[in-house]
Amino acid sequence: MSKSERKSVLPAAPSHGYEFGGPIGAFATSFGLPFVCYLASFLCNDITGCPVPSALHPSSLTLEKLKQETGWPGVTGLGSFKVTGLVLAYYFLSLVLQTVLPGVERDGLKLASGGRLKYKFNAFNSAISTVAVALAGTMMQGPDFPLWTFIWDNYTQLITANLGIAFTLATFVYVKSFSVKPGDADHRELAAGGHSGNLIYDWFIGRELNPRVTLPFFGEIDIKVFCELRPGMLGWVLLDLAFMTHQYKVHGLVSDSMVLITVFQSLYVFDALWMEPAMLTTMDITTDGFGFMLAFGDLAWLPFIYSLQARYLAVYPVHLGVYGILGVLAVQGFGYYIFRSSNNEKNRFRTNPDDPKIAHLKYMETASGSKLLISGWWGTARHINYLGDWIMAWSYCLPTGIAGYLIQQSSPAPLSGQSPVDGSFVGGAPVGIEVVQGEARGWGMAVTYFYVLYFAILLIHREMRDEEKCMRKYGKDWEEYRKKVPWRILPGVY
């Protein structure tokens, strides 16, 4: 491809250099964050505690002792062909439901090449169908319904399977991106920040903006949109439900804290699925290419890291009481109100500025013709929706309380694959166990409150990326806009 031809398939916006620390940061993130998923799985477990006892006494830590306390299955035990096959079947089911169930059709925003892509949205109906089948099975078989026991018994192998899919998809779309041709009738184009020429960085950040494949029976599938709200988001809910049923199976009850977390997170997911068309105006769809960053985030990081609180409560139930419940509900309600109200306002303004609900809002018009809100929610802060999102994150963590537990047992620590919590046998006798906080109290918060810290970093970084993008796009108009709306996320503070 000649230089002139190559330019014709690139987006009109200028390249904006490296993000995420460039190639080194991309490499570290691509292999470091999957390691974090495994760490959370092993260091907070149902065998010896959360965190494992050795973590409380580093001076006595040995590799062999750590392997015993974490139930280390060996490298080969991290994965399973059977589990991977069933995870692929789950993805296949998602594709089938997307294809056969009715949905609404929308045109995407105008691309740099001038065209618009078409989308079919029915993720909400697909998720409802899947959860309905799971709940029907639970009504018939109780907590022993195979889906829930499969998730609990193969948790680590599920992480590995989804990581494998993320790595495979990232590699596939990276290679496929080199077939983008000038004047492509399917409106294929490269992402503004994904064609640096560095293999590792472009593979991570995403080279092609909207990679699609055409499959027999399924037709054209937008890989990025499919991954954004389907397997991972629904997987998050299924993990929570599996942890809830495990708590009931082991402890004979479902704690109020578990109910709150599962309801809150399910509300968040189904709200996103219901508002699926609104995703077309987000940075993930309009700006970011699809590479390992989004594949891993959507399919592995989101379901397995975001559900850590429910996994913790499955082993150590926390009882909040009336006042605790009301306090957590207040935090969740306040955050959700800001999040949903602000996003609805933005989406209505972008799609139908004459809507009576937002027609009164003030805005400034840029030289490019874009309109920027300077009143309403978006007049208080340039990313006010992020504030609501972060407040809600607290309601996911607060129900775990001052977290941390130790599993005290009357028999030696079980071998790999055995769990004292579910009544395994050691030496021919049942393991007598008691789950107590002891000296672990507070230390488990490194796991159960990790989400709040991580999410704050994520939102601030995302806001900074968006600021850079808008400065490039609007220039002096953006500087003027920042004078009118000076606060970034939290009015009066940041």
Side-chain angles (χ1 to χ4, degrees):
M1 184 183 295
S2 68
K3 182 180 290 187
S4 61
E5 288 177 322
R6 182 173 180 273
K7 286 182 178 179
S8 66
V9 300
L10 298 181
S15 179
H16 46 70
Y18 288 135
E19 298 179 282
F20 296 95
I24 295 176
F27 179 85
T29 302
S30 298
F31 296 95
L33 291 188
F35 184 65
V36 172
C37 292
Y38 286 119
L39 278 182
S41 169
F42 287 113
L43 296 183
C44 182
N45 61 54
D46 64 337
I47 298 173
T48 55
C50 180
V52 295
S54 292
L56 302 175
H57 303 283
S59 61
S60 64
L61 178 65
T62 65
L63 183 59
E64 287 304 315
K65 189 175 183 181
L66 189 61
K67 285 182 177 180
Q68 184 184 41
E69 291 179 348
T70 59
W72 173 247
V75 174
T76 57
L78 293 175
S80 161
F81 287 113
K82 177 183 177 181
V83 172
T84 300
L86 290 173
V87 170
L88 289 173
Y90 166 67
Y91 280 70
F92 182 78
L93 174 63
S94 295
L95 281 173
V96 170
L97 293 176
Q98 180 182 9
T99 303
V100 302
L101 292 180
V104 297
E105 302 208 357
R106 295 284 188 272
D107 289 338
L109 299 183
K110 190 174 182 180
L111 299 167
S113 60
R116 295 177 186 267
L117 296 174
K118 294 186 178 297
Y119 298 88
K120 176 185 177 182
F121 294 117
N122 64 4
F124 182 84
N125 294 337
S126 299
I128 289 293
S129 301
T130 305
V131 171
V133 172
L135 293 180
T138 305
M139 291 178 65
M140 292 186 290
Q141 300 186 36
D144 291 319
F145 181 56
L147 174 61
W148 311 133
T149 56
F150 172 79
I151 289 175
W152 185 265
D153 294 340
N154 298 280
Y155 181 77
T156 302
Q157 291 76 21
L158 287 170
I159 293 175
T160 302
N162 283 279
L163 283 174
I165 293 171
F167 274 101
T168 301
L169 277 178
T171 303
F172 171 75
V173 296
Y174 175 77
V175 173
K176 187 174 182 292
S177 71
F178 288 94
S179 65
V180 174
K181 303 295 182 184
D184 190 282
D186 295 324
H187 304 300
R188 295 179 65 195
E189 62 182 51
L190 302 183
H195 51 88
S196 69
N198 182 279
L199 187 153
I200 291 293
Y201 181 80
D202 292 348
W203 171 83
F204 169 79
I205 205 73
R207 197 167 184 273
E208 187 171 353
L209 184 62
N210 299 294
R212 293 186 166 202
V213 292
T214 300
L215 302 174
F217 175 74
F218 299 109
E220 188 174 57
I221 303 296
D222 189 297
I223 298 174
K224 181 164 66 172
V225 168
F226 174 79
C227 291
E228 187 82 3
L229 290 182
R230 288 179 181 269
M233 288 286 273
L234 178 58
W236 180 10
V237 173
L238 294 177
L239 285 169
D240 281 354
L241 293 174
F243 300 149
M244 176 184 281
T245 56
H246 185 81
Q247 185 190 72
Y248 179 78
K249 180 178 180 180
V250 172
H251 299 281
L253 56 84
V254 176
S255 65
D256 50 14
S257 55
M258 177 68 86
V259 171
L260 284 181
I261 284 179
T262 303
V263 169
F264 289 164
Q265 295 184 349
S266 296
L267 172 66
Y268 183 91
V269 169
F270 282 99
D271 175 77
L273 300 181
W274 178 259
M275 300 297 296
E276 188 181 15
M279 130 172 77
L280 295 180
T281 63
T282 64
M283 180 186 290
D284 284 358
I285 304 302
T286 64
T287 305
D288 291 335
F290 184 78
F292 184 74
M293 178 182 73
L294 287 181
F296 167 73
D298 292 341
L299 307 179
W301 184 262
L302 183 147
F304 293 100
I305 294 299
Y306 288 23
S307 62
L308 284 176
Q309 299 86 8
R311 183 169 178 261
Y312 170 88
L313 293 173
V315 180
Y316 186 76
V318 174
H319 303 282
L320 300 174
V322 174
Y323 293 111
I325 292 173
L326 291 177
V328 175
L329 284 173
V331 173
Q332 165 70 10
F334 182 54
Y336 181 76
Y337 171 69
I338 295 174
F339 174 78
R340 179 44 56 205
S341 298
S342 59
N343 277 329
N344 281 346
E345 184 178 272
K346 178 183 68 174
N347 191 53
R348 288 191 182 103
F349 183 75
R350 286 183 173 181
T351 56
N352 182 19
D354 296 324
D355 188 321
K357 293 182 179 179
I358 51 89
H360 64 283
L361 295 178
K362 297 179 182 178
Y363 61 86
M364 61 170 282
E365 191 162 353
T366 67
S368 63
S370 298
K371 297 175 180 178
L372 304 176
L373 284 170
I374 57 174
S375 68
W377 281 111
W378 300 90
T380 60
R382 301 195 293 275
H383 296 277
I384 190 66
N385 57 328
Y386 290 177
L387 176 61
D389 220 354
W390 190 64
I391 292 173
M392 281 193 291
W394 279 96
S395 70
Y396 304 160
C397 303
L398 288 171
T400 64
I402 309 299
Y405 62 78
L406 294 173
I407 296 178
Q408 299 177 345
Q409 49 207 37
S410 60
S411 300
L415 301 175
S416 172
Q418 295 178 315
S419 168
V421 172
D422 61 19
S424 292
F425 283 69
V426 175
V431 178
I433 65 106
E434 183 181 7
V435 184
V436 299
Q437 287 205 289
E439 61 179 343
R441 176 179 166 83
W443 292 103
M445 295 174 71
V447 174
T448 62
Y449 286 78
F450 171 76
Y451 177 69
V452 169
L453 176 61
Y454 150 75
F455 206 50
I457 296 172
L458 171 73
L459 293 175
I460 291 173
H461 179 261
R462 192 176 184 87
E463 176 271 329
M464 293 171 67
R465 292 181 67 213
D466 197 46
E467 285 287 312
E468 292 177 2
K469 181 196 77 170
C470 292
M471 181 60 73
R472 290 192 304 271
K473 181 177 181 180
Y474 301 118
K476 292 182 178 180
D477 286 330
W478 189 252
E479 293 179 4
E480 182 63 26
Y481 172 67
R482 291 195 301 183
K483 293 178 183 178
K484 296 179 182 294
V485 186
W487 300 109
R488 292 170 177 255
I489 297 176
L490 181 58
V493 178
Y494 176 76

